[in-house]
Amino acid sequence: MAILSELVLYPIKSCAGISVPEVTLTRVGLALDGVRDREWMVVDNNGFCLTQREYPRMALIMPQVRADSLALSAPGMPVLEIALVQPNAGAATREVHIWDDSVLADDCGDAAAAWFSEVLGVASRLVRFHAGATRLASAKWTGGVDAPTQFADGYPVLVAGTASLADLNEKLVAAGRSPLPMNRFRPNLVIDGIDAFEEDYVDSFGLGAAVLKPVKPCGRCPMPSIDQASGERGPDPLDIMQAYRRKAQVGDEICFGMNAIVIEGEGERLFVGQAVSVALAF
């Protein structure tokens, strides 16, 4: 039987995640106490997103959801608290850019900008997805379904199977390398009890009244080489994965995990240990 073995929320794009026992499912992804997945993003002075790809120290920025704030910590820095009330009083609205999309966001102010600039060593600002903004996943992959997301790379939920990681780790160990934890791949939902890479062939996952539909394999950049505990680069597993994880349907990219959209279950509670029904696409 397939079960949900881990739930991870990433309040700020490319910063550390929060492994939690339960969440609320929204159309734009997971939510915890009103904080949505990838609701915040770090940008440069021109509004372009910053990620671990260029700034691996982002992995060390640790969020904590409090009653009325998002508290952020990083080595050697005081805790920064971001109010959860939206919009923040006096917040400036600005256009920001994430890959090929441009959307409106609320600037989180000069104190947050100074904090992130100090941590990353580059001029940075923290922004929050504007309440009136809309960003949709690619209709090419969703089959024409309007699937909103916020500052995720492109889709509201990323799903991976524990057996897939175990399969990769067997190959890494055989090559004399250390096994990797799942956080290198930054999924939202981790599912146990399915075969290695079975998620690639699933038509839908059922979790209670919720239905998630995998729509696109997740092509991988070098981010899995970054140790999420130290913020340092290490050996890149893509050199092992390239032999067996290339997907022709996404331009021969090396893939791990499946991007999914929410078909049913807005407002449903998901919890670790929950049974997951699996409907295969063939």
Side-chain angles (χ1 to χ4, degrees), residues 157-161 187-191 199 205 212 214 256-260:
V157 179
L158 179 62
V159 181
N188 296 113
L189 274 64
V190 181
I191 297 177
E199 59 268 32
F205 291 108
L212 302 180
F256 186 100
M258 287 293 292
N259 292 297

Side-chain angles (χ1 to χ4, degrees), residues 10 15-16 58 72 93 98 132 138 155 212 244 247 255 263 277:
Y10 303 89
C15 294
M58 293 181 76
L72 306 176
T93 300
I98 172 170
S138 170
Y155 299 85
L212 302 180
Y244 74 115
K247 292 284 187 177
C255 297
I263 300 298
S277 64

Side-chain angles (χ1 to χ4, degrees), residues 121-266:
V122 63
S124 312
R125 301 196 72 84
L126 181 67
V127 298
R128 186 180 189 181
F129 201 86
H130 186 64
T134 299
R135 179 172 174 247
L136 297 177
S138 170
K140 170 187 174 181
W141 292 98
T142 66
V145 174
D146 284 346
T149 188
Q150 296 198 329
F151 290 134
D153 273 356
Y155 299 85
V157 179
L158 179 62
V159 181
T162 56
S164 303
L165 181 64
D167 182 273
L168 170 60
N169 279 335
E170 285 182 7
K171 292 175 172 59
L172 289 171
V173 170
R177 305 260 284 273
S178 298
L180 299 178
M182 184 63 87
N183 65 10
R184 294 292 187 95
F185 297 94
R186 298 172 64 82
N188 296 113
L189 274 64
V190 181
I191 297 177
D192 198 8
I194 60 176
D195 292 338
F197 303 107
E198 186 175 340
E199 59 268 32
D200 292 7
Y201 308 103
V202 170
D203 180 70
S204 64
F205 291 108
L207 301 100
V211 178
L212 302 180
K213 182 176 180 63
V215 294
K216 184 183 181 185
C218 184
R220 290 295 171 172
C221 66
M223 270 182 62
S225 68
I226 299 168
D227 186 328
Q228 297 298 292
S230 69
E232 297 179 354
R233 298 185 191 277
D236 194 335
L238 297 188
D239 64 347
I240 299 293
M241 296 170 66
Q242 67 180 344
Y244 74 115
R245 290 302 301 162
R246 291 191 180 277
K247 292 284 187 177
Q249 67 263 47
V250 288
D252 221 26
E253 288 186 80
I254 301 168
C255 297
F256 186 100
M258 287 293 292
N259 292 297
I261 61 175
V262 180
I263 300 298
E264 297 177 13
E266 174 83 8

Side-chain angles (χ1 to χ4, degrees), residues 7-9 20-37 156-157 188-189 210 212 262 265-271 274:
L7 287 162
V8 187
L9 181 81
V20 294
E22 63 179 77
V23 295
T24 300
L25 183 65
T26 77
R27 291 192 69 206
V28 298
L30 308 186
L32 176 68
D33 297 333
V35 172
R36 292 180 172 84
D37 189 75
V157 179
N188 296 113
L189 274 64
L212 302 180
V262 180
E266 174 83 8
E268 278 294 300
R269 172 179 167 265
L270 307 183
F271 57 92
Q274 183 174 12

Side-chain angles (χ1 to χ4, degrees), residues 80-102:
L80 174 69
E81 293 205 41
I82 305 296
L84 294 184
V85 175
Q86 190 177 29
N88 297 335
T93 300
R94 60 184 298 168
E95 185 177 65
V96 297
H97 313 284
I98 172 170
W99 314 134
D100 294 329
D101 296 330
S102 297

